[in-house]
Amino acid sequence: MTTQPRPVYVIGAGPGGLAAAAALRARGIRAVVVEKSDAVGSSWRRHYDRLHLHTTRRLSALPGLAMPRRFGRWVSRDNVVRYLEKYAEFHELELVTGVEVTRVDRAPEGEPGWVLHASGGRVLTAGAVVVATGFNHTPRLPDWPGRETYTGRLLHAAEYRSPRPYEGQDVLVVGVGNTGAEIAVDLVEGGAARVRLAVRTAPHIMRRSTAGWPAQRSGILVRRLPVRLVDRLGSFVARASVPDLTAYGLPRPATGLYSRVKEGAIPVQDVGLVDAVRAGKVEPVAAVESFDGAEVVLSDGSRITPDVVVAATGYRRALEDLVGHLDVLDERGRPVVHGPRTPARAPGLFFTGFSNPISGMFREMALDAEKIARVMPRHLGSRKPARTRTRRRRAEPGSATGLPPVAPLA
């Protein structure tokens, strides 16, 4: 195996970072994964208990290791974590935990590569950098007027684990993305006395699977088609498969499905929301405008007094301190380029896992990893031996992966 005097540093040991490191290693390129927490998949470990991938097991595997069939079609949070742990072990990744990279700088003038500043005063020199700190990095809680004086309990969805603490309580969930929709259903099934769902913009709702055909496969097929065409197709499919919930406070969106995707709004995969709304168990209400003591003031002027407010209001990428000074982020704080492309002003700086495509985030991170590994040698200024394309396969004793055989996931 050819090594580099300066390795590629991968920042973040989530699925995107691990996939990139494995793809680089398979091409003979040394990659060091730096993770601020004490284990891989830290964000997945913190998600709520009932979470499952909304993409299929077969289309969510990372390069070089299939997800076991026994995980089922829709893989649970715990099994995602187990898979990521085994993935790092199987690919023998060079992993450093408990170290946070706080800033990435260009190497001094005349020198190639990058300098990483990390916790404990560490300074790391890299031939190239892959930033994979995650799409859901830092919880975003709107600065609602009166928020600090609210006398009920207010928490971000990142703090929600299970419905048990909210049994018998009146709960308002704010935000009708996939997280908010699923938490609302979880609360209903877990015994909350009342569950309301604050909606600012009505979402597109899709069946996760229709007659055995997963929505993800449709997303893959239409991703490169014209936006207007996909909007029309999406409207037809929605009307054929999802009941009209207008009478319940969730009208069909006026903006097309793919137009909304291009704006960053992914359709809600139905895991029980439609039935819960139709049964009156989840009550859509207007958006939250402010707080006033024990009351939540909604945009239609009404006031409610829930015991608990769960804000499923999204996350920030939080890349500004890390790379914001390099002129590589757009006005929303997202990388200006993604995957195998590097910014014109920052060659050798890669980003992965900062998009949320309808074709599936895990699938796109897997594809990005292979593409990044393919173009990496030109950024390192050295030639690399060609290698056989990594196949996604189950790890079995004696498997011909180019790595020492290991046992299947237990």
Side-chain angles (χ1 to χ4, degrees), residues 140-160 166 169-174 288 290-296 306-313:
R140 185 182 67 84
L141 191 64
D143 189 20
W144 288 299
R147 189 186 77 185
E148 301 301 328
T149 64
Y150 178 54
T151 57
R153 184 183 177 192
L154 171 63
L155 66 148
H156 190 274
E159 302 174 62
Y160 179 90
Y166 314 101
Q169 297 191 30
D170 183 335
V171 186
L172 172 67
V173 180
V174 183
V288 171
S290 63
F291 290 81
D292 184 10
E295 296 182 321
V296 179
D307 301 309
V308 182
V309 176
V310 180
T313 48

Side-chain angles (χ1 to χ4, degrees), residues 110-125:
E111 296 183 20
W114 298 87
V115 175
L116 282 62
H117 302 273
S119 55
R122 297 174 178 86
V123 178
L124 313 171
T125 56

Side-chain angles (χ1 to χ4, degrees), residues 71-342:
F71 281 2
R73 195 180 199 192
W74 314 107
V75 182
S76 70
R77 178 204 63 184
D78 289 346
N79 280 335
V80 169
V81 172
R82 293 178 64 232
Y83 173 72
L84 296 178
E85 290 174 339
K86 193 64 178 181
Y87 191 84
E89 175 190 342
F90 177 70
H91 286 294
E92 299 182 335
L93 300 183
E94 193 171 345
L95 179 64
V96 179
T97 60
V99 174
E100 181 179 7
V101 177
T102 56
R103 182 181 172 96
V104 176
D105 282 321
R106 295 180 181 86
E109 188 173 353
E111 296 183 20
W114 298 87
V115 175
L116 282 62
H117 302 273
S119 55
R122 297 174 178 86
V123 178
L124 313 171
T125 56
V129 178
V130 179
V131 179
T133 49
F135 189 83
N136 295 334
H137 186 275
T138 301
R140 185 182 67 84
L141 191 64
D143 189 20
W144 288 299
R147 189 186 77 185
E148 301 301 328
T149 64
Y150 178 54
T151 57
R153 184 183 177 192
L154 171 63
L155 66 148
H156 190 274
E159 302 174 62
Y160 179 90
R161 293 293 176 273
S162 78
R164 189 173 301 116
Y166 314 101
E167 186 175 353
Q169 297 191 30
D170 183 335
V171 186
L172 172 67
V173 180
V174 183
V176 69
N178 279 294
T179 297
E182 190 159 2
I183 287 176
V185 173
D186 198 33
L187 287 163
V188 166
E189 295 177 354
R194 186 175 188 178
V195 179
R196 284 174 282 203
L197 184 60
V199 180
R200 184 170 299 278
T201 304
H204 285 276
I205 301 176
M206 300 177 62
R207 298 293 189 189
R208 187 168 62 176
S209 178
T210 303
W213 179 265
Q216 181 189 8
R217 287 198 177 274
S218 297
I220 293 170
L221 292 174
V222 305
R223 193 177 180 199
R224 305 300 179 188
L225 296 178
V227 172
R228 290 185 180 180
L229 174 59
V230 181
D231 282 347
R232 288 196 294 269
L233 291 172
S235 176
F236 172 78
V237 171
R239 292 179 184 278
S241 61
V242 179
D244 186 357
L245 301 177
T246 301
Y248 302 92
L250 277 180
R252 296 191 189 276
T255 307
L257 184 150
Y258 206 28
S259 294
R260 290 285 300 280
V261 169
K262 291 295 186 180
E263 296 170 356
I266 297 298
V268 170
Q269 301 280 324
D270 179 37
V271 291
L273 179 66
V274 170
D275 289 343
V277 168
R278 296 178 76 188
K281 296 178 180 179
V282 171
E283 307 169 49
V285 296
V288 171
E289 286 295 308
S290 63
F291 290 81
D292 184 10
E295 296 182 321
V296 179
V297 182
L298 304 180
S299 60
D300 61 1
S302 61
R303 291 170 175 254
I304 59 176
T305 55
D307 301 309
V308 182
V309 176
V310 180
T313 48
Y315 295 79
R316 296 186 298 108
R317 311 296 87 79
L319 292 169
E320 288 79 6
D321 291 342
L322 185 68
V323 297
H325 57 288
L326 298 173
D327 193 25
V328 296
L329 305 178
D330 64 17
E331 64 281 356
R332 294 190 296 173
R334 300 187 182 188
V336 293
V337 295
H338 199 264
R341 298 172 56 202
T342 63

